[in-house]
Amino acid sequence: MAHLSSTTTQGPREYQEDVIAIHEFNLGDTKGILLVVMDGHRGTRTADYCAAKIGQYFAPSSGSRKDIRAGLFGLIKRLATETRDLQSGTTFSAVCIVRNIATLAVLGDSPIVIVDRLGRVVIGPEHNIQTNATERKAAVARGGIYSRGYLWVPGSRHGLQMSRSLGDAYMEEVILRKPEARRVSLGPNSLILVCSDGVLDPDHINSWERISELVEVAKRDCSAEDLLSLVKTKGLEDNTSIILWKP
């Protein structure tokens, strides 16, 4: 029986814009679970819409690795189409767990951290425009402007710290709405963290130090709430959400 816990807090922000979605499903004799964290901005309309549709739209044809990946890409493609005219936006960090395989699909910079079957710490894809030079270069090549840690559309009054997201209609010209995927093998001592970036420092500069500390605590007999308590000792500066899964 897997151990699953989740928690979220508004922190010092005026609004809570993080959204957590957890979807359990059956494919014949195969059981699976989909864990998603969305970090909304400019309101929660996009994140709320996506959360409401996940169970309806995620429909892999089988539990095979190929079909799970296709199911995630199909889910995100449909959500991207249906939210592309919304001015609010959101990250979308998803982990689908079937048998001993975790399949990741990510847009944005909400961190996913996994201890794999060999005990290695695997960090999922992230598309923060400050820390991912490859994503930054590609966004600029699409016509974006990088300035003061943000990606801008020429003439826009609003910037974005990511090169990929859902919603964000005003960034249509320069962002991507296609996820980056990864697959990780799990073992009996594995764990999975899906979080909003409130667990990190605001500039994403010392991320590894924060992540390492979270992983060491998560290996113990603890819950997502215990991890949030640790983050609070560092000083919350943002909405913060955590999902913790262990086999």
Side-chain angles (χ1 to χ4, degrees):
M1 178 69 70
H3 300 274
L4 175 68
S5 59
S6 63
T7 188
T8 187
T9 184
Q10 183 173 321
R13 292 296 182 94
E14 187 175 353
Y15 302 105
Q16 170 61 287
E17 296 179 310
D18 281 3
V19 177
I20 288 174
I22 298 173
H23 173 58
E24 298 183 57
F25 58 92
N26 295 305
L27 295 167
D29 295 332
T30 301
K31 293 184 177 181
I33 189 167
L34 178 60
L35 314 174
V36 184
V37 166
M38 290 163 281
D39 183 350
H41 42 270
R42 303 191 75 196
T44 62
R45 186 178 175 189
T46 300
D48 286 339
Y49 182 89
C50 293
K53 297 294 185 179
I54 285 172
Q56 178 182 348
Y57 291 172
F58 181 63
S61 56
S62 78
S64 72
R65 300 178 184 184
K66 179 180 178 181
D67 287 342
I68 291 297
R69 186 182 187 277
L72 284 169
F73 272 65
L75 164 68
I76 293 170
K77 183 177 180 180
R78 189 164 181 182
L79 294 176
T81 298
E82 296 181 4
T83 61
R84 68 184 316 121
D85 293 329
L86 299 182
Q87 294 301 318
S88 65
T90 187
T91 67
F92 193 93
S93 286
V95 181
C96 183
I97 307 160
V98 176
R99 301 186 187 94
N100 63 340
I101 298 294
T103 304
L104 290 63
V106 177
L107 297 99
D109 59 0
S110 294
I112 296 174
V113 183
I114 299 178
V115 175
D116 73 4
R117 68 181 181 87
L118 298 178
R120 298 172 299 194
V121 177
V122 178
I123 299 177
E126 62 87 23
H127 309 118
N128 185 284
I129 205 73
Q130 296 185 79
T131 56
N132 190 324
T134 300
E135 288 286 312
R136 181 169 66 243
K137 183 178 179 179
V140 170
R142 291 191 293 269
I145 297 171
Y146 177 67
S147 176
R148 305 190 302 278
Y150 285 80
L151 177 66
W152 306 80
V153 172
S156 173
R157 297 171 57 190
H158 302 283
L160 191 66
Q161 282 189 310
M162 298 167 292
S163 57
R164 306 190 194 199
S165 68
L166 296 176
D168 291 319
Y170 67 102
M171 299 292 291
E172 171 77 21
E173 301 172 24
V174 298
I175 61 170
L176 293 180
R177 295 192 172 91
K178 181 180 180 180
E180 186 174 354
R182 194 166 295 174
R183 192 178 289 131
V184 180
S185 296
L186 305 174
N189 297 314
S190 289
L191 65 85
I192 297 175
L193 289 167
V194 190
C195 310
S196 63
D197 68 347
V199 302
L200 307 176
D201 68 283
D203 295 325
H204 291 240
I205 301 301
N206 299 311
S207 298
W208 177 248
E209 180 180 335
R210 291 277 186 99
I211 286 171
S212 297
E213 191 170 6
L214 282 172
V215 167
E216 288 307 309
V217 174
K219 288 178 179 177
R220 306 170 195 164
D221 183 15
C222 75
S223 67
E225 192 65 45
D226 296 322
L227 296 178
L228 179 59
S229 295
L230 171 63
V231 175
K232 286 179 177 178
T233 66
K234 310 296 181 181
L236 289 179
E237 299 187 47
D238 199 354
N239 303 154
T240 303
S241 298
I242 302 171
I243 302 174
L244 171 62
W245 179 94
K246 295 181 180 180

